[in-house]
Amino acid sequence: MTSSLSPLRSSGLMVHDTGAHAVVRALRRHGVDTIFGQSLPSMVHLVAEKQGIRQIAYRTENAGGYMADAYARVSGKIGVVTAQNGPAAALLVPPLAEALKASIPILALVQDVSAEHTDRNAFQDLDHIGMFTAVTKWVRRVADVSRIEDYIDQAMTAACTGRPGPVVLMLPADILLQPYGAAKRSYELGYYPLDRVAASPERIAEAAELLVKAKNPIIIAGGGVHLSQAHQALAALQEHCHLPVATTVMGKGVVDETHPLSVGVMTYFLGPNGSGRFQRPLIENADVVLLVGTRTNQNGTDSWKLYPKGAIYIHLDIDGNEVGRNYEAKRLVGDAKLTLAALKDAIAVLNSTVRKNARESVEKKIAEGRAAYMKESEVVRTSDATPIRPERIMHEIQSQLTEESIVVADASYSSIWIANFLVSLKAGMRFITPRGLAGLGWGFPMALGVKVAQPQKEVFCVVGDGGFGHVWSELETAARMGVKVTLILINNGILGYQKHAENVKFGDHTSAVHFTPVDHAAIARNSGCNGIRVTDPQELAGALAQARNNTGTTLIEVLCDENAFPPITFYTPDAVVIK
């Protein structure tokens, strides 16, 4: 006779009003309706699903972390991911590191060994706090069940206030089973920016004076504009104060790139066929540069060679430590949305004759630069060559984008293809790329997280065969969880960036850059998704249309030219000086 406690029988949750219930109650109070997890901490998930919080069950913890990251980027809410202690928790280190660098609020709830088993070589015991300290803003371990709500609220506050970032809360297994009474707290803290503070009025006034009097001012906007939801404030400053705006890769989409004062992405790919190649003088000749929400990192500044040495810099960022890090700057420390609006108002009361009179000339230069790019890149964008050129793929994707589309890309070449060859159709359009640490394999899980957060929007994802090999298993996640993404896989049979960069730097490449042929479309079909293989560029438009009409995730595998590479500046250093 089978016992009611048989491992083959589910007899119903046997415990109630526990620490796990307090955790879930607090999460719901903070607006959490989705957790990316794989059952552990089991008590948390058992309670959460009964309380209406959906579990998106990933296959690997690192992929789950990337899902939570992208969910946070497009939802305005904290992303929540869970994991077991030990090796599972260790797999959260890469996504938490990306979130720390890219300023994305994530709460990782990690099950820990019971308190009485700590430091006794318990199963999968580890110094988790030591492991997570370097990749988070805040990490704690609950030591007493009565403190659960306090710690959840501290975690939310740490993640969402100031410069957002990831936090970790360790939950000992025995704490989750201990009795817990009524709720003690009632405020909601699970959104960002949690606290908006503008820069000081005196410094805003000084910045306004510099911008209206400048001969060649320019704004360079980074991902912090998206995080602050400041795109409308930036667009208003651009239009009403007659200021040209360029962006970093993470800042792509903060302005409408069809606007006559939009310069486009100005970063480390300004070689032939680069969309910003002919706009470079607008940066190099600038006398006042307003940096907004950017870390002025290596890629964003083309290894710190792009921005002019003689310019006056004004740097607006929520993190005062980033202001002036690489370019000595007038300080505007505060929220981008509030500060940009205040800056526009400050400029409005000044004499803007210089800016108004210069606008036509600036717009003409930008238009000429765009036209020159379109002419130069036409051959690759419309190429009928086989194997297929990646630029042709981008050309076909662009033809099917709307203002509400979201495009996600993996690291490496994929991020460059979308940043360079796709166009933002409105201020606030989203292009999601892992640019904090830029790890391979992060694109597809991020696309799944985006779709979970914005199920009504169409999500395109561009990946390479090298990176996608890290996360094939998440195709099954997409099928099982019913998450639809149009996934475009560029299959050139190599680690493209690795091979091409090694050839440029060293004159030769390692043997690891070549792959054996793989039928990724077949993998997709055998994982429960749709799979299409494209070998002729004339088939691209139809494949994209079919994918958009399918009910589930569709992988479009495109066999591409291994000799095609994006317009990375250092690949062609002698060809990028356009005057």
Side-chain angles (χ1 to χ4, degrees):
M1 182 175 180
T2 304
S3 164
S4 62
L5 297 179
S6 166
L8 302 180
R9 182 188 299 272
S10 175
S11 58
L13 192 61
M14 297 183 293
V15 291
H16 305 280
D17 301 322
T18 65
H21 289 81
V23 170
V24 173
R25 189 165 53 209
L27 293 177
R28 291 187 66 197
R29 169 166 55 87
H30 293 305
V32 175
D33 56 19
T34 302
I35 299 176
F36 298 90
Q38 199 182 65
S39 292
L40 290 157
S42 297
M43 269 301 299
V44 170
H45 283 289
L46 284 167
V47 176
E49 291 188 333
K50 292 183 182 300
Q51 295 297 320
I53 296 179
R54 183 186 183 191
Q55 178 181 185
I56 301 296
Y58 53 69
R59 295 299 295 261
T60 64
E61 285 73 15
N62 51 10
Y66 310 139
M67 294 176 197
D69 173 317
Y71 177 94
R73 294 191 196 208
V74 300
S75 69
K77 302 193 299 183
I78 193 168
V80 181
V81 64
T82 65
Q84 186 180 357
N85 48 295
L91 288 173
L92 287 180
V93 169
L96 293 176
E98 166 70 21
L100 183 68
K101 283 288 189 178
S103 307
I104 310 302
I106 295 176
L107 168 59
L109 297 174
V110 178
Q111 181 167 295
D112 205 355
V113 300
S114 297
E116 63 178 327
H117 296 157
T118 301
D119 291 332
R120 297 182 65 186
N121 288 328
F123 180 65
Q124 296 186 339
D125 192 11
L126 186 66
D127 178 9
H128 295 93
I129 291 179
M131 179 176 69
F132 286 128
T133 296
V135 295
T136 60
K137 287 183 68 178
W138 180 98
V139 55
R140 297 288 190 278
R141 186 176 191 268
V142 178
D144 188 286
V145 69
S146 67
R147 298 297 310 284
I148 282 177
E149 286 183 85
D150 299 340
Y151 276 122
I152 292 285
D153 282 24
Q154 285 183 38
M156 292 288 177
T157 301
C160 297
T161 196
R163 179 177 181 172
V167 298
V168 173
L169 184 60
M170 303 298 304
L171 300 171
D174 56 336
I175 294 286
L176 295 174
L177 287 169
Q178 292 174 9
Y180 196 97
K184 303 173 184 177
R185 291 172 173 260
S186 60
Y187 291 168
E188 180 181 353
L189 305 170
Y191 59 90
Y192 69 97
L194 184 57
D195 306 299
R196 291 189 184 271
V197 181
S200 71
E202 295 81 7
R203 288 180 173 171
I204 291 172
E206 182 183 6
E209 288 276 1
L210 287 170
L211 287 167
V212 297
K213 293 180 179 179
K215 182 179 179 182
N216 298 308
I218 194 164
I219 300 173
I220 301 174
V225 178
H226 281 304
L227 295 174
S228 176
Q229 295 107 50
H231 52 276
Q232 294 295 351
L234 178 60
L237 183 68
Q238 176 187 41
E239 173 59 31
H240 298 295
C241 300
H242 320 289
L243 294 167
V245 178
T247 77
T248 65
V249 174
M250 287 189 66
K252 185 177 179 68
V254 296
V255 291
D256 176 356
E257 290 181 331
T258 68
H259 189 283
L261 285 172
S262 290
V263 180
V265 177
M266 297 297 294
T267 178
Y268 64 108
F269 37 86
L270 301 179
N273 299 318
S275 60
R277 170 167 150 83
F278 298 94
Q279 311 287 8
R280 188 168 183 144
L282 291 167
I283 301 283
E284 295 177 330
N285 297 330
D287 56 346
V288 175
V289 179
L290 172 59
L291 304 168
V292 185
T294 170
R295 295 171 292 150
T296 61
N297 64 340
Q298 183 173 12
N299 283 350
T301 61
D302 202 4
S303 295
W304 306 285
K305 297 175 182 177
L306 176 60
Y307 297 177
K309 293 181 178 179
I312 296 173
Y313 288 86
I314 307 163
H315 197 163
L316 166 56
D317 202 279
I318 193 65
D319 184 352
N321 292 320
E322 290 296 345
V323 175
R325 179 195 287 266
N326 293 314
Y327 298 89
E328 188 175 27
K330 304 287 185 180
R331 299 177 64 82
L332 292 178
V333 178
D335 173 68
K337 183 177 181 179
L338 291 184
T339 304
L340 289 172
L343 182 59
K344 172 182 169 289
D345 291 343
I347 290 175
V349 300
L350 300 176
N351 184 344
S352 298
T353 302
V354 173
R355 295 271 41 81
K356 290 178 182 178
N357 291 342
R359 178 165 178 161
E360 183 178 354
S361 173
V362 174
E363 288 184 352
K364 182 180 179 183
K365 290 177 182 177
I366 293 172
E368 289 173 347
R370 285 182 191 168
Y373 155 68
M374 294 298 287
K375 181 179 180 181
E376 179 182 63
S377 65
E378 183 178 9
V379 171
V380 290
R381 286 186 295 104
T382 61
S383 173
D384 286 328
T386 57
I388 297 169
R389 296 281 310 192
E391 299 93 336
R392 175 64 185 271
I393 302 174
M394 299 304 109
H395 181 73
E396 297 295 345
I397 293 174
Q398 182 67 51
S399 70
Q400 302 200 32
L401 292 183
T402 72
E403 293 181 350
E404 299 304 312
S405 302
I406 301 177
V407 185
V408 185
D410 207 340
S412 194
Y413 278 178
S414 296
S415 290
I416 305 175
W417 292 128
I418 75 161
N420 189 77
F421 287 98
L422 298 185
V423 177
S424 172
L425 301 174
K426 73 168 185 178
M429 189 173 174
R430 297 307 302 269
F431 297 81
I432 307 297
T433 52
R435 306 311 300 166
L437 287 177
L440 276 179
W442 300 2
F444 181 49
M446 294 183 87
L448 296 179
V450 166
K451 185 64 175 181
V452 170
Q454 300 285 354
Q456 77 285 2
K457 294 198 174 183
E458 192 168 33
V459 178
F460 296 84
C461 181
V462 177
V463 302
D465 54 334
F468 188 64
H470 293 235
V471 289
W472 289 347
S473 58
E474 302 305 331
L475 284 166
E476 188 275 336
T477 300
R480 174 167 38 90
M481 302 308 303
V483 182
K484 177 185 175 179
V485 168
T486 296
L487 175 63
I488 301 98
L489 186 143
I490 297 173
N491 183 354
N492 59 10
I494 61 170
L495 279 171
Y497 209 155
Q498 192 70 26
K499 179 177 181 178
H500 297 154
E502 286 178 353
N503 286 341
V504 172
K505 289 181 179 180
F506 312 117
D508 200 1
H509 55 265
T510 64
S511 60
V513 299
H514 293 107
F515 299 128
T516 191
V518 174
D519 188 339
H520 299 85
I523 293 173
R525 291 191 294 271
N526 284 286
S527 299
C529 296
N530 306 300
I532 303 170
R533 183 170 257 219
V534 174
T535 59
D536 184 335
Q538 301 298 328
E539 300 169 352
L540 285 167
L544 286 166
Q546 180 181 338
R548 295 174 68 191
N549 290 328
N550 284 337
T551 56
T553 285
T554 298
L555 183 152
I556 303 172
E557 179 178 25
V558 186
L559 299 190
C560 287
D561 183 359
E562 73 164 83
N563 294 314
F565 57 88
I568 296 170
T569 308
F570 89 89
Y571 283 2
T572 52
D574 297 328
V576 298
V577 181
I578 305 298
K579 297 297 185 183

